[in-house]
């Protein structure tokens, strides 16, 4: 499993060509995802763009549904969770271990970001699938509940398309 977040800018305003088109006075949104090894979205959440990614990790892991297995009891949580340096906090590592999840999180100042590439591309591919949905590429809804609903519909469509091939 791999958590990630992607920022979505607010509505773009008109700006001269010499200035940046990013509007710092308007808020944006982040889509937080937990995907499985194949890139299928398992858990999704949204937050304001100015919140840190690590604050959404616990709610994302709690939102993972039970995994159906052919034999034995259902697994309630993944065995390990890969994450980038945004999630490198002792309290998060401790919490993941209490949940019987092995944290595979890059350490700040110790590990190079290049090692994450073999796992991170799966999440980046899923995020590009989400940006293929017009309603998510640019946020048109004012209410976060509506935006979360469209995000959930998009992840359901991704899962349906990938599982029925």
């Amino acid at each position: 499993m791999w958590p990630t977040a992607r920022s979505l800018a607010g509505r773009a305003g008109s700006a001269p060509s010499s200035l940046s088109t990013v509007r710092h006075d308007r808020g944006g949104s982040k889509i937080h995802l937990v995907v499985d090894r194949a890139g299928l979205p398992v858990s999704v959440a949204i937050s304001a763009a100015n919140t840190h990614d690590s604050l959404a990790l616990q709610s994302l892991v709690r939102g993972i549904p039970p995994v159906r297995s052919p034999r034995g009891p259902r697994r309630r949580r993944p065995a390990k969770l890969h994450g980038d340096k945004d999630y490198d906090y002792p309290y998060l590592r401790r919490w993941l271990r209490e949940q019987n999840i092995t944290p595979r999180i890059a350490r700040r100042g110790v590990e190079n970001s290049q090692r994450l590439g073999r796992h991170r591309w799966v999440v980046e591919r899923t995020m590009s699938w989400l940006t293929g949905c017009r309603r998510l590429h640019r946020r048109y809804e004012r209410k976060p509940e509506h935006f979360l609903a469209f995000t959930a519909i998009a992840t359901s469509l991704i899962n349906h398309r990938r599982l029925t091939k």
Side-chain angles (χ1 to χ4, degrees):
M1 298 290 188
W2 182 281
T4 190
R6 179 178 166 268
S7 293
L8 296 172
R11 293 187 186 132
S14 60
S17 60
S18 63
L19 297 177
S20 173
T21 58
V22 176
R23 294 287 306 260
H24 296 288
D25 59 340
R26 296 199 181 168
S29 300
K30 278 186 191 174
I31 297 176
H32 302 275
L33 274 178
V34 173
V35 299
D36 66 355
R37 192 174 293 197
L40 296 176
V42 177
S43 181
V44 64
I46 62 168
S47 70
N50 61 353
T51 59
H52 198 270
D53 294 340
S54 64
L55 299 176
L57 181 68
Q58 292 179 354
S59 62
L60 278 174
V61 172
R62 285 187 194 113
I64 296 173
V67 178
R68 184 177 293 255
S69 60
R71 289 182 297 228
R74 292 182 181 190
R75 293 183 53 194
R76 304 298 276 179
R77 301 277 182 246
K80 56 185 172 178
L81 188 99
H82 291 271
D84 56 6
K85 295 178 184 182
D86 287 341
Y87 303 100
D88 184 30
Y89 289 98
Y91 77 95
L92 286 177
R93 289 180 182 273
R94 193 175 324 111
W95 184 80
L96 286 171
R97 286 189 190 103
E98 289 171 2
Q99 303 297 317
N100 295 325
I101 300 173
T102 305
R104 303 286 182 153
I105 300 173
R107 293 173 288 175
R108 288 177 287 177
V110 176
E111 294 179 2
N112 191 357
S113 297
Q114 298 297 326
R115 286 188 61 195
L116 296 172
R118 60 185 126 164
H119 302 289
R120 185 162 179 86
W121 70 271
V122 177
V123 175
E124 295 300 331
R125 181 184 63 184
T126 305
M127 293 307 276
S128 69
W129 289 340
L130 281 176
T131 56
C133 301
R134 188 178 70 104
R135 299 294 294 207
L136 300 181
H137 184 68
R138 183 170 177 170
R139 183 172 170 173
Y140 295 101
E141 292 78 27
R142 289 186 177 264
K143 293 186 178 181
E145 298 87 16
H146 295 173
F147 186 64
L148 180 61
F150 281 116
T151 307
I153 291 170
T155 56
S156 299
L157 285 173
I158 289 171
N159 285 336
H160 176 69
R161 288 179 192 147
R162 295 292 296 171
L163 294 175
T164 57
K165 278 188 176 181

